Amino acid sequence: MDIYQCDFFLRAMAAGALCGVMCPLVGVFVVARRFAFLADALGHVSLTGVAVGLVLGIAPGIPAMAVVLAAAFAAEWLRQKERFYAEAFLAVVMAGGLALGVILISKSRGFGADLAGYLFGSLLTVTVQDLYLILGLAAGGVLVILFLYRSLFALALDEEYARSAGFPVPAVNAAFMVVAAAVVAMAIRAVGVLLAGALVVVPVLIAVRVNRSFRGVTVTAALTGAVLVIGGLHLSYALDLPPGPAVVLLGIAVLAGAALVQQAMQFKSDGSKPYLGGQEVARAGGSGHPADQAVTRGDLRP
Amino acid sequence: MVSPKFLREDVEALKFYPAGEHSDVEAVIKLEGVGFAFGRNQVLENISLEIRRGDFLAVLGPNGAGKTTLLKIILGLYQPGTGMLKLFGMDGSRFRERYRIGYVPQKGAAFGDFPATVWEVVATGRTARAGLWRRLAPKDREKITAALSALGLEELAHRPVRALSGGQRQRVAIARALAAEPEVLLLDEAAEGLDPAGEDAFYGLLERLNRGQGMTVVLVTHDIGAVSRRVRKVVFLNRRIVFEGASEECLENGKLSALYGMPVYVPGSVGRRRQEVYGKGS
């Protein structure tokens, strides 16, 4: 049977591609701000929302988004107040959310099959309504990110400078958190609460290895995310694997491959590090700036 | 001798507000009785200072004297605990045109390791002025190019910042501030990380911006040598303002040594003046 004639597979590919694009779009700014753990934490915390939805008999996506949004604002507050321990506190929030979700589910019976889908994703069961919802969230998310792109970039690069230059940092952060919550809710469908963080972060880590510009990383990460989800779906079909974990493992394999290729290329070019240090400039004699050239030649050495 | 490239005429392409254009506001920055504390730790006390358009001012002081805190209050990053701040004649808390005050932070070179090109970084400075929600116009792009050019960074424009040396990153931070065409430039230990030629060129650039274009420059520095040669006015801070006056006055009669409480050697001072700077204890 041709898999492309199956509606469920086509819907899964469409929903997966949208999730694959959106997760890294948020991930780029999260990773650049050195807060990648946030994505993982929000994914885990969303289990509480999923549990509330299952217990109340409503679509879990909505309570999951609400819980993730609250957790995202709490995480941002922690980041501002507890600069040095923010990640440690985030681990506490993550564990708390996960524990609460498990307790809620354990007190309610009969959700076993559903729960597995939420824990590890259930792309193959995406309905037409789900697809429309994901499409709407993705369109809204892309618009907000495009609108805020310059401000988000300035914040990711140097938040103190952005504040001093008059960027509306609290408003931009709040809007970003709303998008992040929506994206994590989408990722639950694709790869599940336990693996959502990976879909946010892994495509960004791949893109970072092959780009010099922030814009390049953003575009590459979004495309990579889509390709990984679609590739993972095919892998899942071909090898009879669960789709969510297949997507994540494919991503990690590509990341490892990219790292190996990069290492090999660096080894080939005299062991220098083209993107990750100052050697690239030094090798090229800097900017051509006389001072740079002098430094490279060692003229200014005492 | 290396001829520093960023002393080039290209800086003229950035048209800053010439002295007198806003002559109705003489004091661009005014602090009256400003105090600030981190919890119980009083960092600044009763600071009254008026910085006028066209000033070239250095803020000196020992570590922990409150120099960076003072800059951050002016930048709106901290709110003063007591007293009043006025920027361009307006209450500091209501001042919205933040791009009129350029800032080169103490760790301007710390852009992190995430990929971003020099152009992208410098463009964030222009974005603050051009508007956060709209695309950069050709005129804005010209200003970014001019800022890159003024710092000798044109050839590095499409390189990732993470591949640059510390000195080059510092120049990127300065270009980012200049791209907004600020009327006031605040620099916090901004020459740190520059090699001697680069440092010389950096101070030369500040002089050109100040004297040639009327830009108000406020420099927080430990580089007393630069103060002695370049700036016109010095504020010595140690939680309070303990000295305010002409730079020559600060260097006379061992005053600087007295302010630091130890002999202070000022590079570039010679003969009798140098001995004075060493102070009585030397």
Side-chain angles (χ1 to χ4, degrees):
Chain A
M1 189 181 76
D2 185 359
I3 191 69
Y4 298 112
Q5 289 183 341
C6 297
D7 286 347
F8 77 88
F9 195 77
L10 296 177
R11 281 198 301 274
M13 281 210 298
L18 288 169
C19 293
V21 167
M22 285 310 298
C23 288
L25 276 185
V26 165
V28 165
F29 300 103
V30 171
V31 175
R33 293 172 83 167
R34 295 167 187 260
F35 213 41
F37 189 47
L38 175 74
D40 214 26
L42 294 185
H44 283 60
V45 165
S46 67
L47 186 65
T48 299
V50 169
V52 169
L54 290 175
V55 169
L56 296 180
I58 57 174
I62 294 160
M65 260 186 72
V67 169
V68 169
L69 194 58
F73 278 106
E76 178 60 19
W77 182 79
L78 280 172
R79 198 178 66 86
Q80 298 287 342
K81 293 283 172 199
E82 301 282 348
R83 283 183 180 272
F84 296 106
Y85 301 110
E87 290 224 318
F89 277 110
L90 201 54
V92 174
V93 171
M94 181 176 98
L98 199 58
L100 188 59
V102 170
I103 285 174
L104 278 174
I105 288 166
S106 71
K107 291 289 173 193
S108 324
R109 298 183 190 284
F111 300 126
D114 284 347
L115 184 62
Y118 289 108
L119 285 178
F120 302 107
S122 53
L123 265 179
L124 297 175
T125 60
V126 165
T127 63
V128 175
Q129 285 81 5
D130 289 339
L131 187 56
Y132 283 137
L133 179 65
I134 289 173
L135 186 63
L137 288 175
V142 166
L143 281 178
V144 172
I145 286 176
L146 280 177
F147 190 60
L148 296 179
Y149 179 80
R150 283 174 214 286
S151 301
L152 286 170
F153 171 57
L155 254 76
L157 193 70
D158 185 347
E159 185 168 331
E160 185 179 83
Y161 175 81
R163 284 181 189 276
S164 77
F167 286 85
V169 174
V172 171
N173 271 336
F176 180 69
M177 289 305 175
V178 172
V179 175
V183 162
V184 168
M186 284 167 68
I188 294 170
R189 205 69 167 112
V191 291
V193 296
L194 298 180
L195 300 174
L199 194 55
V200 173
V201 170
V202 171
V204 180
L205 295 180
I206 294 169
V208 158
R209 299 198 163 264
V210 293
N211 280 281
R212 295 170 169 222
S213 70
F214 195 89
R215 185 182 293 250
V217 171
T218 308
V219 173
T220 309
L223 293 176
T224 305
V227 169
L228 285 180
V229 176
I230 292 174
L233 268 174
H234 283 81
L235 199 65
S236 140
Y237 174 71
L239 303 178
D240 193 22
L241 301 171
V247 169
V248 171
L249 284 181
L250 177 65
I252 292 170
V254 172
L255 176 61
L260 283 174
V261 169
Q262 193 185 32
Q263 287 295 322
M265 284 171 71
Q266 284 170 12
F267 184 73
K268 250 185 163 180
S269 57
D270 295 320
S272 62
K273 296 166 85 181
Y275 302 147
L276 298 177
Q279 295 95 327
E280 179 189 28
V281 174
R283 198 174 64 240
S287 61
H289 187 302
D292 294 340
Q293 288 172 348
V295 170
T296 308
R297 287 196 307 267
D299 291 356
L300 298 176
R301 218 168 279 149
Chain B
M1 178 67 192
V2 175
S3 71
K5 194 175 172 185
F6 60 85
L7 274 176
R8 293 159 38 139
E9 295 300 315
D10 298 4
V11 71
E12 308 300 338
L14 289 162
K15 174 110 175 74
F16 301 104
Y17 288 80
E21 188 169 304
H22 295 270
S23 54
D24 53 321
V25 187
E26 273 301 305
V28 288
I29 298 167
K30 192 174 182 182
L31 298 109
E32 279 180 15
V34 166
F36 184 84
F38 287 111
R40 289 181 181 178
N41 180 21
Q42 192 72 33
V43 181
L44 292 173
E45 216 172 293
N46 196 27
I47 303 290
S48 292
L49 178 66
E50 199 170 291
I51 300 171
R52 294 177 170 268
R53 190 175 294 282
D55 271 353
F56 193 171
L57 171 85
V59 180
L60 289 171
N63 289 338
K67 305 185 294 293
T68 299
T69 304
L70 179 66
L71 281 200
K72 289 187 175 178
I73 286 174
I74 295 170
L75 288 163
L77 297 173
Y78 297 154
Q79 294 304 313
T82 56
M84 187 190 67
L85 166 70
K86 282 198 167 187
L87 302 170
F88 299 94
M90 195 182 288
D91 186 341
S93 60
R94 292 185 189 172
F95 185 69
R96 293 289 170 266
E97 296 170 330
R98 291 271 164 205
Y99 56 80
R100 292 171 73 181
I101 302 176
Y103 174 46
V104 181
Q106 199 166 13
K107 289 175 185 168
F111 292 121
D113 282 336
F114 204 84
T117 63
V118 170
W119 171 277
E120 286 178 317
V121 173
V122 175
T124 58
R126 188 67 198 175
T127 300
R129 183 179 194 99
L132 306 179
W133 320 117
R134 66 177 189 81
R135 291 175 67 86
L136 293 174
K139 184 187 151 206
D140 297 315
R141 292 177 175 278
E142 281 169 24
K143 297 296 181 186
I144 295 165
T145 306
L148 289 168
S149 187
L151 274 299
L153 292 167
E154 317 98 299
E155 290 166 40
L156 295 176
H158 299 292
R159 293 211 185 202
V161 173
R162 67 184 181 182
L164 303 185
S165 67
Q168 288 168 330
R169 286 181 180 213
Q170 198 66 357
R171 276 154 51 195
V172 172
I174 299 165
R176 177 178 64 176
L178 292 184
E181 295 184 284
E183 292 161 65
V184 179
L185 189 59
L186 306 183
L187 305 106
D188 192 359
E189 305 281 5
E192 218 171 78
L194 297 177
D195 58 46
E199 193 179 293
D200 208 41
F202 163 72
Y203 286 116
L205 174 74
L206 294 186
E207 276 191 318
R208 288 173 65 81
L209 291 168
N210 176 253
R211 293 196 179 146
Q213 308 228 19
M215 186 186 288
T216 309
V217 178
V218 180
L219 194 63
V220 163
T221 181
H222 287 294
D223 187 353
I224 300 165
V227 169
S228 67
R229 293 194 302 272
R230 311 279 191 181
V231 304
R232 291 198 285 273
K233 194 174 163 188
V234 166
V235 167
F236 192 94
L237 195 67
N238 197 357
R239 203 164 68 176
R240 302 167 177 224
I241 292 179
V242 291
F243 174 83
E244 185 184 354
S247 57
E248 295 83 6
E249 199 187 327
C250 175
L251 295 169
E252 280 168 7
N253 303 323
K255 196 171 273 177
L256 203 56
S257 300
L259 291 171
Y260 272 98
M262 59 181 288
V264 177
Y265 165 59
V266 179
S269 23
V270 289
R272 198 174 127 259
R273 186 171 162 203
R274 173 171 169 168
Q275 286 173 7
E276 284 170 353
V277 170
Y278 261 113
K280 290 173 189 171
S282 63

